[in-house]
Amino acid sequence: MTPTTDPGDRDAPTLDRVAALGGGHGLFSTLRAARRAAASVTAVVTVADDGGSSGRMRRELGSLPPGDLRMALAALTEDTPRGRLWERTLQHRFAGHGALAGHAVGNLVLTGLSEVMGDHVAALDELAVLLGIRGRVLPMSPVPLDLEAEVSGLGEDPREVTAVRGQVAVASTPGQVRRVRLIPGDAPATEPAVEAVLDADVVTLGPGSWFSSVIPHLLVPGIDAALDRTDAVKVLILNLVSEPGETSGFSMERHIHMLRQHCPSLRMDVTVVDRSTVSDARERRALERAAGQLGARVIYRDVRADDDRGRWSDRHSPEKLARVLREFAGPVDALPAELPDGAADTASGGEPTGR
């Protein structure tokens, strides 16, 4: 993991290859960070979405749901006028009340190109070339998948468990999600996605919707096996808050326990936690014990974005997260658990940041 450019440049990549696993807005933030920190980024994206434009195209055309793939492409576009134009175009949704209402331009382009080329991966690679992306966007499986959850608290008996099927239904359930599974359960992994995990310097898992965007990667046997075999630094990025429905009331510790429940063999190297999310010493000890069961040490960093009024938001800051990713260019064991105030950019040579 030799730095590829001048380390004095705060936006200079210091990693060669990053593979980022996830979906939705969580993956978007990670990819925005990774494109600043690495020369090449591969997004490995969930394909179980069944709502909105993606769900309509999936039902009508039998295609992979394109929404999360489109968002990943948009996240990796260059920060130039042309790149920003393409990002806006990919994300643009048609208004009105006709057949196109609600569809994103990028969903239509990606699905149409996949039909023309007869290959989803080839279509994604072609779009990546068109957009000037340094890296790739890949589905975690070449077939569309369904998500099914065991949910408690939906009936009169709070102990009763109900099967809820569909990513949208799982994400919006008022009950408590206990476990999820993919249908089919032996879904094949996209081979280039497996290769990306094996070849990466750093592999990230999370943040994102825990049951519908993060855990599903661990349920695809080929992806799980690649995570076990890779020599990359494996980084778990925890969410900033629990999500209504999916993880309502979850502590940071419980997020990790859910990963272990679904994949007991999972091993990670580092768990990144925003230092504002776990302030109590007892909570920190519990979190560190849970991470230790994954073989991971916890590092606390300032990775939370500010909103338009300068207040904390519930999203990760790509700039702050990029600085953390650059830290993994060196020995992981040498990373301090927490940086002193004003030292967030020491590893990357940038300027200190404040809230």
Side-chain angles (χ1 to χ4, degrees):
M1 290 182 282
T2 304
T4 57
T5 50
D6 179 6
D9 179 0
R10 67 179 296 174
D11 292 321
T14 55
L15 300 166
D16 289 332
R17 297 177 300 278
V18 169
L21 281 57
H25 292 287
L27 180 61
F28 189 95
S29 296
T30 303
L31 294 175
R32 275 291 164 86
R35 77 176 189 182
R36 291 170 165 86
S40 179
V41 182
T42 299
V44 180
V45 185
T46 51
V47 286
D49 192 4
D50 62 352
S53 171
S54 288
R56 289 163 60 189
M57 300 186 78
R58 176 177 175 172
R59 289 188 294 272
E60 293 172 16
L61 302 173
S63 64
L64 286 179
D68 285 353
L69 296 165
R70 177 204 81 239
M71 286 186 64
L73 287 167
L76 290 175
T77 54
E78 293 184 323
D79 188 17
T80 63
R82 183 174 182 273
R84 290 189 289 273
L85 171 63
W86 272 110
E87 179 193 347
R88 291 197 302 272
T89 302
L90 290 171
Q91 301 282 58
H92 176 74
R93 291 186 184 273
F94 292 103
H97 303 283
L100 289 178
H103 276 304
V105 171
N107 289 359
L108 298 172
V109 171
L110 177 55
T111 302
L113 188 57
S114 297
E115 289 193 355
V116 169
M117 301 187 73
D119 187 299
H120 294 291
V121 171
L124 285 161
D125 285 344
E126 183 64 27
L127 277 178
V129 171
L130 174 66
L131 299 170
I133 289 172
R134 302 191 313 272
R136 306 178 77 180
V137 172
L138 299 167
M140 70 177 185
S141 176
V143 298
L145 305 175
D146 285 317
L147 190 70
E148 185 174 85
E150 297 175 2
V151 181
S152 61
L154 295 180
E156 293 183 3
D157 184 350
R159 297 168 297 177
E160 181 182 356
V161 175
T162 304
V164 174
R165 184 161 177 171
Q167 181 172 312
V168 172
V170 172
S172 59
T173 181
Q176 182 72 66
V177 179
R178 300 177 61 176
R179 179 180 285 273
V180 293
R181 67 187 184 101
L182 291 176
I183 302 172
D186 58 350
T190 302
E191 193 56 40
V194 170
E195 294 169 359
V197 172
L198 294 176
D199 294 341
D201 299 320
V202 171
V203 176
T204 65
L205 181 65
S209 298
W210 216 241
F211 287 107
S212 54
S213 293
V214 177
I215 288 175
H217 286 85
L218 307 178
L219 306 180
V220 177
I223 300 296
D224 176 38
L227 284 169
D228 184 56
R229 292 168 50 202
T230 186
D231 292 327
V233 177
K234 292 178 286 188
V235 181
L236 175 64
I237 305 173
L238 287 186
N239 290 347
L240 298 170
V241 295
S242 59
E243 292 184 286
E246 280 200 29
T247 57
S248 181
F250 276 29
S251 64
M252 296 297 107
E253 174 193 6
R254 190 170 181 188
H255 280 77
I256 295 177
H257 285 319
M258 280 296 164
L259 294 181
R260 293 191 66 244
Q261 176 179 311
H262 285 82
C263 184
S265 64
L266 179 66
R267 293 293 178 268
M268 304 296 288
D269 297 303
V270 184
T271 300
V272 177
V273 180
D274 184 81
R275 63 188 184 187
S276 71
T277 61
V278 187
S279 56
D280 181 82
R282 182 180 300 176
E283 286 184 81
R284 285 199 173 195
R285 288 194 297 270
L287 172 62
E288 289 162 10
R289 282 196 301 269
Q293 292 176 328
L294 297 177
R297 59 189 304 258
V298 177
I299 63 171
Y300 301 92
R301 298 292 187 268
D302 173 16
V303 292
R304 190 189 289 265
D306 298 329
D307 65 14
D308 294 337
R309 298 182 180 180
R311 299 176 300 190
W312 283 342
S313 76
D314 293 336
R315 297 282 178 88
H316 286 75
S317 161
E319 295 81 7
K320 294 176 181 178
L321 191 54
R323 289 193 286 271
V324 177
L325 292 179
R326 292 191 190 102
E327 293 187 55
F328 304 132
V332 172
D333 291 343
L335 295 177
E338 191 162 7
L339 296 175
D341 289 338
D345 288 292
T346 302
S348 60
E351 300 174 359
T353 60
R355 293 200 180 279

